[in-house]
């Protein structure tokens, strides 16, 4: 299927059908999927827990997300190698929701975002995500990385901070006040974990660096705690209710139960409750989650297309992401989207189909029910170090630096605006402002490219018999609202003291309503001044705009021809007696043959 068809198609389970049904799926391919799925599943376990903690909820909710949403999206989506689950990009949005509305509000917002993603898929909006400029995506991902890294400072250094303020600068102030009382043993565990992650790739082994890093950090924390230190762990920080009463430390070693999202605890510890006012309050956050989920998932799919030579179905992927995020909140899972790092690792490990991502989900499920006791020993400083590394990778700092050094000034301005607004205010504001600013700057650049030139003495005109008092002007570039007033204003000045002029428009590809309005003003001005106009060589889109606008020949003022040569061949001194309609390019020239 051609790339364009993939972009606009919508077929449930598109990637699974294409990889496993439309072509033979045999034991050899399954074994490759099995190895890749196990590899990525092991990678996902600590990441899912760490990202849930960073989002303001207990670690088991990240595991629920990885195995429930991860399986559903892989089965129903449109990208063959994508692996979905909790991702770092959402932390900036989800953490404030969890702080203000609790787990129940976070799950309800996830459900609403899933519905929005399904609507986007049904409206075939997957293609339009490509119109978000790179300067915007780099800006908000860089800003997200800074916020994520800042949120990890507390656990990295073992600081005693009860709760983090809402605004970024207040967060920095609280961390600075608490910093003198840092816990050196926690900092040691974090530094060792981070050092292993940085140095491990030099060994050039297939084992991803964060696994040995977390294991070494955990062993160090166990040894330090056995010798009188107090390094915080999953088991000491989190607890859960046992079925028969009482509490257990760490994460529950059993599957989640079905529950309505709004029956989960709110910020005050009581059930959130469902109301339309709550839905209205959460709608902006849900829209931001849906937009970011769409952007992250489709960017991931595009990256994988480049790596594999395959083609994803953008709208089918949005449908899969939507279904996953609709179902997972009923089992305690938070927002999921495709993760670029895990998806790339999936492909490099030999994945053949979405079955690999489904196996990854099963591995996470098995870890939850069989290794919950072991996972309780994971130290919080090591998890913080892991997320700082994730934040650095998602920031794409080398690419951002390259953009700052080489991109046009407008792109740099958009990047800095998105970055600053993401850090200081809100990602929704950052993306909205960035896209609008990029659009305005692009329109300004396009408007500046539109020029009007006097070609009366040019080679194409000088050989022709142009009567005295007549000029030939050529317009190059789109005549849309941002450029048309300036261009036709210049023409009004240039034609002030002439009998008439030919307007050569073969270089005009676009004429919008603003351009049509400006052209009408020029025609009225010329009519008042007794100046005659011949418009030559209209392209199809401007011609349709004039026809829809009802602009035809004006006797004694305006005439149309299909080419510059035909315009120059007219008896220009008696042009008033010749007229034709712009709606038919074959009837534009009514002068003598």
């Amino acid at each position: 299927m051609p790339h364009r068809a993939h972009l606009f198609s919508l077929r449930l389970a598109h990637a699974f059908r294409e990889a496993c049904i439309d072509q033979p799926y045999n034991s050899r391919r399954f074994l490759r999927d099995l190895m890749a799925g196990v590899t990525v599943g092991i990678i996902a376990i600590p990441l899912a827990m760490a990202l849930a903690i960073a989002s303001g909820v207990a670690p088991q909710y990240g595991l629920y997300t990885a195995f429930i949403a991860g399986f559903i999206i892989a089965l129903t989506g449109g990208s063959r190698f994508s692996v979905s689950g909790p991702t770092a990009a959402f932390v900036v949005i989800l953490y404030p929701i969890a702080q203000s509305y609790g787990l129940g509000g976070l799950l309800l917002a996830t459900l609403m975002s899933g519905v929005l993603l399904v609507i986007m898929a049904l409206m075939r909006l997957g293609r339009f995500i490509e119109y978000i400029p790179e300067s915007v995506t780099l800006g908000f991902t860089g800003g997200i990385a800074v916020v994520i890294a800042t949120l990890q400072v507390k656990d990295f250094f073992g600081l005693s901070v009860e709760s983090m303020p809402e605004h970024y600068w207040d967060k920095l102030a609280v961390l600075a006040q608490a910093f003198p009382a840092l816990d050196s043993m926690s900092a040691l565990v974090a530094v060792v974990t981070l050092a292993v992650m940085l140095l491990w790739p030099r060994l050039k082994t297939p084992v991803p660096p964060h696994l040995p890093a977390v294991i070494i950090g955990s062993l160090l924390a166990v040894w330090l705690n056995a010798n009188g230190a107090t390094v915080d762990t999953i088991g000491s920080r989190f607890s859960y209710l046992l079925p028969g009463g009482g509490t257990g430390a760490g994460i529950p070693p059993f599957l989640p139960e079905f529950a309505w999202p709004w029956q989960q605890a709110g910020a005050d510890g009581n059930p959130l409750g469902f109301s339309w006012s709550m839905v209205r309050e959460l709608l902006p956050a849900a829209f931001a989650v849906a937009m970011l989920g769409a952007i992250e998932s489709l960017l991931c799919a595009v990256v994988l297309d480049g790596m594999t030579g395959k083609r994803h179905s953008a709208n089918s992927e949005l449908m899969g992401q939507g279904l996953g995020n609709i179902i997972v909140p009923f089992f305690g899972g938070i927002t999921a989207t495709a993760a670029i790092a895990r998806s790339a690792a999936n492909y490099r490990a030999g994945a053949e189909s979405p079955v690999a991502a489904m196996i990854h989900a099963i591995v996470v499920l098995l870890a939850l029910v069989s290794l919950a006791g072991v996972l309780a020993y994971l130290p919080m400083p090591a998890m913080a170090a892991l997320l700082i590394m994730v934040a650095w990778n998602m920031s794409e700092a080398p690419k951002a630096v390259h953009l700052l050094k080489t991109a046009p000034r407008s792109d740099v301005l958009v990047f800095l605006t998105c970055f600053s607004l993401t850090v200081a205010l809100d990602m929704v504001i950052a993306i909205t402002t960035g896209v609008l600013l990029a659009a305005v700057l692009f329109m300004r650049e396009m408007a500046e490219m539109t020029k009007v030139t006097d070609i009366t003495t040019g080679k194409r005109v000088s050989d022709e018999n142009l009567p005295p008092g007549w000029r030939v002007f050529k317009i190059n570039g789109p005549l849309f609202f941002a450029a048309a007033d300036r261009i036709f204003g210049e023409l009004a000045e240039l034609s002030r003291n002439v009998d008439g002029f030919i307007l050569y428009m073969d270089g005009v590809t676009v004429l919008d309503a603003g351009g049509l309005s400006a052209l009408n003003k020029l025609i009225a001005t010329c009519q008042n001044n007794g100046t005659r106009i011949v418009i030559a060589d209209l392209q199809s889109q401007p011609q349709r705009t004039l026809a829809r606008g009802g602009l035809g020949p004006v006797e004694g003022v305006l005439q149309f021809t299909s080419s510059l040569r035909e315009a120059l061949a007219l008896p220009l001194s008696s042009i008033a007696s010749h007229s034709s309609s712009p709606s038919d390019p074959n009837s534009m020239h009514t002068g003598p043959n």
Side-chain angles (χ1 to χ4, degrees):
M1 185 183 295
H3 188 196
R4 185 177 179 85
H6 275 277
L7 285 169
F8 287 99
S9 65
L10 174 57
R11 183 172 68 152
L12 190 65
H14 172 88
F16 181 79
R17 293 186 192 184
E18 185 181 57
C20 302
I21 298 176
D22 295 347
Q23 56 181 287
Y25 189 77
N26 51 36
S27 58
R28 182 192 63 81
R29 297 183 69 203
F30 174 74
L31 287 175
R32 290 175 63 85
D33 280 336
L34 178 65
M35 293 301 298
V38 170
T39 301
V40 180
I42 295 171
I43 293 172
I45 294 165
L47 279 174
M49 297 172 68
L51 290 166
I53 295 168
S55 300
V57 297
Q60 64 265 26
Y61 299 112
L63 297 176
Y64 299 162
T65 306
F67 76 76
I68 297 174
F71 189 95
I72 293 169
I73 295 171
L75 176 62
T76 61
S79 179
R80 184 178 296 198
F81 302 105
S82 289
V83 176
S84 296
T87 61
F90 283 117
V91 169
V92 177
I93 306 177
L94 302 188
Y95 183 80
I97 300 174
Q99 294 296 104
S100 300
Y101 299 96
L103 175 63
L106 188 53
L107 299 185
L108 181 56
T110 298
L111 171 61
M112 293 165 62
S113 72
V115 173
L116 291 173
L117 283 167
V118 169
I119 293 172
M120 291 167 65
L122 294 174
M123 293 177 65
R124 307 296 200 276
L125 296 181
R127 176 71 172 80
F128 297 100
I129 300 298
E130 292 184 0
Y131 295 132
I132 297 178
E134 184 181 46
S135 54
V136 173
T137 57
L138 281 178
F140 76 72
T141 54
I144 290 170
V146 169
V147 175
I148 292 172
T150 303
L151 291 173
Q152 305 318 306
V153 170
K154 170 181 173 288
D155 286 330
F156 193 96
F157 293 102
L159 303 181
S160 297
V161 177
E162 290 297 326
S163 62
M164 295 291 282
E166 180 179 355
H167 300 294
Y168 183 76
W169 306 115
D170 295 334
K171 290 182 176 74
L172 291 183
V174 168
L175 292 172
Q177 291 174 1
F179 197 79
L182 66 86
D183 180 62
S184 58
M185 295 299 99
S186 295
L188 176 62
V189 171
V191 169
V192 169
T193 304
L194 188 59
V196 173
M197 280 190 284
L198 292 172
L199 297 174
W200 187 264
R202 296 185 181 182
L203 300 178
K204 302 186 183 304
T205 68
V207 180
H210 77 271
L211 291 180
V214 170
I215 292 171
I216 292 172
S218 300
L219 294 174
L220 177 59
V222 169
W223 182 79
L224 290 172
N225 284 335
N227 286 274
T230 54
V231 178
D232 212 0
T233 64
I234 296 288
S236 65
R237 175 76 64 86
F238 299 98
S239 62
Y240 60 93
L241 294 176
L242 294 168
T247 59
I251 61 175
F254 43 78
L255 297 179
E257 296 180 352
F258 176 91
W260 299 103
W262 47 88
Q263 291 179 347
Q264 301 281 8
D268 58 1
N270 296 316
L272 180 71
F274 181 85
S275 66
W276 289 112
S277 62
M278 178 66 66
V279 171
R280 285 195 300 270
E281 288 179 32
L282 289 172
L283 186 58
F287 180 77
V289 170
M291 284 300 299
L292 182 57
I295 294 169
E296 281 283 299
S297 298
L298 297 184
L299 282 178
C300 177
V302 169
V303 170
L304 290 170
D305 285 353
M307 293 173 61
T308 65
K310 304 294 183 182
R311 289 291 179 264
H312 72 283
S313 170
N315 295 306
S316 302
E317 179 66 6
L318 288 183
M319 177 62 75
Q321 294 290 335
L323 293 175
N325 282 285
I326 287 173
I327 295 171
V328 75
F330 292 96
F331 299 92
I334 61 176
T335 307
T337 189
I340 293 178
R342 273 164 273 171
S343 301
N346 182 43
Y347 172 68
R348 294 191 185 105
E352 288 274 336
S353 75
V355 172
M358 297 181 208
I359 293 172
H360 132 273
I362 295 171
V363 170
V364 175
L365 168 63
L366 294 175
L368 173 69
V369 298
S370 61
L371 298 177
V374 175
L375 296 176
Y377 287 100
L378 293 177
M380 298 304 298
M383 305 296 271
L386 173 61
L387 285 182
I388 286 175
M389 198 67 190
V390 169
W392 169 258
N393 289 333
M394 77 169 293
S395 71
E396 296 190 271
K399 188 182 290 188
V401 171
H402 180 73
L403 182 143
L404 289 171
K405 289 181 177 179
T406 61
R409 190 178 305 172
S410 59
D411 286 333
V412 173
L413 176 60
V414 170
F415 168 81
L416 294 176
T417 300
C418 284
F419 178 87
S420 303
L421 290 176
T422 301
V423 172
L425 294 177
D426 180 82
M427 202 196 70
V428 182
I429 296 173
I431 294 179
T432 304
T433 304
V435 170
L436 291 176
L437 181 59
V440 170
L441 292 174
F442 175 76
M443 286 188 291
R444 187 191 70 176
E445 291 175 1
M446 292 297 293
E448 290 175 350
M449 292 174 60
T450 305
K451 306 288 185 184
V452 57
T453 310
D454 187 341
I455 62 169
T456 306
T457 58
K459 183 178 294 186
R460 298 191 64 177
V461 179
S462 59
D463 295 337
E464 303 290 342
N465 184 22
L466 191 67
W470 277 77
R471 307 273 287 279
V472 180
F473 302 114
K474 179 177 174 61
I475 300 177
N476 278 311
L479 282 173
F480 63 111
F481 63 92
D485 279 334
R486 173 178 58 84
I487 291 298
F488 288 123
E490 290 179 17
L491 278 170
E493 290 296 320
L494 290 170
S495 62
R496 185 180 295 274
N497 298 313
V498 301
D499 295 332
F501 61 90
I502 297 172
L503 194 56
Y504 184 32
M505 296 181 64
D506 78 321
V508 177
T509 55
V510 174
L511 179 71
D512 70 354
L516 180 60
S517 175
L519 177 58
N520 279 321
K521 292 177 185 177
L522 174 66
I523 294 169
T525 300
C526 290
Q527 191 168 15
N528 291 334
N529 295 338
T531 305
R532 288 165 292 184
I533 309 171
V534 177
I535 295 180
D537 208 349
L538 279 170
Q539 294 201 32
S540 58
Q541 193 281 335
Q543 193 177 131
R544 289 194 300 270
T545 300
L546 294 184
R548 283 197 300 268
L551 179 60
V554 179
E555 188 172 353
V557 179
L558 177 64
Q559 181 172 343
F560 297 88
T561 67
S562 59
S563 69
L564 176 61
R565 180 171 294 278
E566 291 183 9
L568 291 169
L570 288 173
L572 296 174
S573 58
S574 57
I575 192 172
S577 61
H578 306 285
S579 63
S580 63
S581 169
S583 59
D584 182 2
N586 296 318
S587 64
M588 280 184 171
H589 177 213
T590 57
N593 294 322

